[in-house]
Amino acid sequence: ETHGITFRIQISVKELLDTDVLLKLLFHLPVNYPSTLPDISVNSDQLTRAQCMDVKDKLLEQAKNHLSEPMVHDLILWIQQHLKYVVKESATVCNEKTTLSKGTSTEDGIWMLLLHLDHMRAKAKCVKTVEKWATDLRLTGRLMFMGKIILILLQGDRSNIKEYLILQKTSKVDVDSSGKKCKEKMISVLCETKVQSQQKRFQTFEVKEYSTLDELQKEFETAGLATLFSDFVPPLLK
């Protein structure tokens, strides 16, 4: 196995107001784990996206204390005991961040990711899932269909884009030729880069279908992404 192991764990935690919070944790253990930290994704219907990101950050901080030794069990025990403090701290930090200048809060800039999907057999379900992930992670952009070409163009915080990529690669969203649920193994990262000042920011995430290559090209050109189109899209037709 060259990509390591990915698994999900769901735990129920008593939070501040004695309500149960269901945490959905996804761990991706790379091949050289535990010498390398795992990738972690956190989701919960009871927490905001920002709180989930804070839980993830705290888990990664704890993981550094266990480098070179098995850590997943310890991380789960830690978050069960400390979730209410993380959530409480998250609310405080959130209030402080609103007082920062925009220049400081967007220091890392906006990043862009262009993905190519080989197929989408369960199209309706896949589209709905991609839209939900983009919304949850505050990502904007396009899911684009043109003939057999399927592209996902995302813009947003770099950490959120990386988390989206983990979800796309590790979740069983589509089905294989026999109708069984499967992970998207035929996904290609065409480009991951910082959005430049001359490039347009997408304000929403939309699903669009194009009948010709010219229509698709105009979508890229309108966003100031003509070079991105010419570098990566035409080769997909060969």
Side-chain angles (χ1 to χ4, degrees), residues 8 22-26 41-45 49 52 132 136 163 167:
R8 296 173 182 277
L22 185 65
L23 279 183
K24 302 169 186 175
L25 306 173
L26 186 145
S41 177
V42 179
N43 281 289
S44 174
D45 293 336
R49 190 68 224 160
C52 287
K132 184 180 186 308
D136 287 349
E163 187 162 351
L167 288 169

Side-chain angles (χ1 to χ4, degrees), residues 1-152:
E1 179 62 68
T2 58
H3 301 293
I5 299 170
T6 300
F7 58 92
R8 296 173 182 277
I9 295 175
Q10 291 195 159
I11 55 172
S12 184
V13 186
K14 285 282 186 187
E15 211 264 316
L16 287 169
L17 303 174
D18 289 331
T19 55
D20 285 337
V21 173
L22 185 65
L23 279 183
K24 302 169 186 175
L25 306 173
L26 186 145
F27 291 89
H28 174 246
L29 309 184
V31 179
N32 45 359
Y33 167 86
S35 299
T36 301
L37 294 178
D39 284 321
I40 303 172
S41 177
V42 179
N43 281 289
S44 174
D45 293 336
Q46 289 80 37
L47 301 179
T48 65
R49 190 68 224 160
Q51 287 171 330
C52 287
M53 292 296 288
D54 285 333
V55 171
K56 171 188 167 180
D57 291 342
K58 291 294 184 185
L59 282 171
L60 286 172
E61 278 180 29
Q62 288 300 311
K64 291 175 185 175
N65 298 329
H66 298 280
L67 205 55
S68 298
E69 60 187 55
M71 64 185 78
V72 173
H73 184 251
D74 289 321
L75 294 179
I76 290 168
L77 290 178
W78 186 87
I79 200 60
Q80 284 178 314
Q81 295 166 2
H82 295 84
L83 179 65
K84 61 183 178 182
Y85 305 111
V86 174
V87 172
K88 196 172 181 179
E89 186 180 308
S90 175
T92 307
V93 171
C94 186
N95 290 334
E96 288 175 358
K97 278 184 179 176
T98 59
T99 64
L100 295 174
S101 68
K102 286 186 178 180
T104 307
S105 59
T106 58
E107 190 175 11
D108 195 36
I110 300 300
W111 281 71
M112 178 168 57
L113 178 71
L114 181 62
L115 299 174
H116 173 238
L117 273 62
D118 182 70
H119 60 269
M120 201 179 270
R121 292 189 179 93
K123 185 174 178 180
K125 184 190 174 191
C126 289
V127 167
K128 192 174 179 181
T129 302
V130 169
E131 286 182 304
K132 184 180 186 308
W133 288 343
T135 301
D136 287 349
L137 291 166
R138 300 190 297 277
L139 299 173
T140 60
R142 299 284 185 267
L143 169 53
M144 301 177 278
F145 296 92
M146 200 289 293
K148 292 185 177 180
I149 293 178
I150 307 169
L151 297 170
I152 301 177

